[in-house]
Amino acid sequence: NAGVTQTPKFQVLKTGQSMTLQCAQDMNHEYMSWYRQDPGMGLRLIHYSVGAGITDQGEVPNGYNVSRSTTEDFPLRLLSAAPSQTSVYFCASYDNQETQYFGPGTRLLVL
Amino acid sequence: DQQVKQNSPSLSVQEGRISILNCDYTNSMFDYFLWYKKYPAEGPTFLISISSIKDKNEDGRFTVFLNKSAKHLSLHIVPSQPGDSAVYFCAASKGANSKLTFGKGITLSVRP
């Protein structure tokens, strides 16, 4: 039981490049979320999903796309990376209980 | 406008003493509150939660108090241990399964 896994752990992009941050969970959770953590800003919700085929925007969705074709996977796409997207990205999944299980994070640097 | 506020960025306490971490919220629709703990280079991990029907929830050394009229909650850690040194995030939601709104976090340092 791996919980929530994220790949890559670290990535450097040039402005304008695109990439996909991968997230997978093996707990059969219906709910999954993407957050970004910036210094002094805490965790901010980017997008979330309440089940396969259903996604919605969070607090800071601009510049990011998501899809949820399966229960297990919830990839986050950066269409055209900008330096403002330099951050640490966390994926999380949860069920009907109280908690969210977070992945270890992806550190992204956009030059 | 930040709906969940952790106004103190850091706290330092002596090992064995009590740590009190505070959190305020502005949205009266929030009815579920959680605390997460985060070590460097790791994802946050759930610590303790409380729903608005309670004013206190206890789990071992950790107790969360909720004052709905003041829109304030606090996390008490007794006794504090060096391994408690981490960043603590307060979070709130409208319902137990709804999306979370996080505070900025507070860095707790427990001195041996």
Side-chain angles (χ1 to χ4, degrees), chain A residues 62-90:
Chain A
N62 292 340
Y64 307 95
N65 276 358
V66 292
S67 61
R68 185 96 181 271
S69 57
T70 66
T71 299
E72 294 77 20
D73 300 298
F74 191 41
L76 178 72
R77 298 183 191 84
L78 282 69
L79 304 176
S80 178
S84 61
Q85 293 178 304
T86 292
S87 187
V88 181
Y89 292 85
F90 290 101

Side-chain angles (χ1 to χ4, degrees), chain A residues 4 7 13 15 17 19 24 28 34 38 43 46 65-66 70 78 89-90 95 98 105:
Chain A
V4 180
T7 56
L13 290 178
T15 296
Q17 286 185 314
M19 80 160 293
N28 204 32
W34 274 104
D38 302 294
L43 290 158
I46 304 171
N65 276 358
V66 292
T70 66
L78 282 69
Y89 292 85
F90 290 101
D95 54 18
E98 315 173 298

Side-chain angles (χ1 to χ4, degrees), chain A residues 1 3 14 29 41 48 50-51 54 59 61 68 74 87 99 109:
Chain A
N1 189 337
K14 294 181 180 179
H29 289 165
M41 298 296 291
Y48 65 102
V50 298
I54 306 170
E59 182 185 355
R68 185 96 181 271
F74 191 41
S87 187
T99 66
L109 174 62

Side-chain angles (χ1 to χ4, degrees), chain B residues 70-91:
Chain B
K71 294 191 179 66
H72 176 83
L73 62 154
S74 60
L75 175 67
H76 293 210
I77 306 174
V78 182
S80 301
Q81 299 174 354
D84 296 329
S85 297
V87 177
Y88 289 79
F89 290 100
C90 173

Side-chain angles (χ1 to χ4, degrees), chain B residues 1-54:
Chain B
D1 181 36
Q2 198 166 25
Q3 300 185 65
V4 178
K5 302 178 182 180
Q6 295 178 261
N7 293 321
S8 301
S10 62
L11 175 68
S12 180
V13 300
Q14 193 77 35
E15 180 179 6
R17 298 290 190 97
I18 183 172
S19 295
I20 300 177
L21 288 68
N22 293 308
C23 178
D24 298 291
Y25 61 97
T26 59
N27 191 335
S28 58
M29 297 298 291
F30 288 144
D31 59 4
Y32 208 82
F33 306 90
L34 305 90
W35 285 93
Y36 284 83
K37 178 179 180 179
K38 185 184 179 304
Y39 292 117
E42 294 183 9
T45 56
F46 169 75
L47 194 57
I48 193 169
S49 64
I50 188 168
S51 72
S52 60
I53 63 173
K54 296 183 177 180

Side-chain angles (χ1 to χ4, degrees), chain B residues 54-101:
Chain B
K54 296 183 177 180
D55 54 17
K56 175 183 175 181
N57 189 26
E58 193 172 353
D59 184 2
R61 296 187 296 114
F62 303 91
T63 303
V64 56
F65 296 92
L66 175 62
N67 182 335
K68 291 185 288 295
S69 61
K71 294 191 179 66
H72 176 83
L73 62 154
S74 60
L75 175 67
H76 293 210
I77 306 174
V78 182
S80 301
Q81 299 174 354
D84 296 329
S85 297
V87 177
Y88 289 79
F89 290 100
C90 173
S93 69
K94 305 169 193 176
N97 295 326
S98 298
K99 55 185 179 179
L100 293 175
T101 300

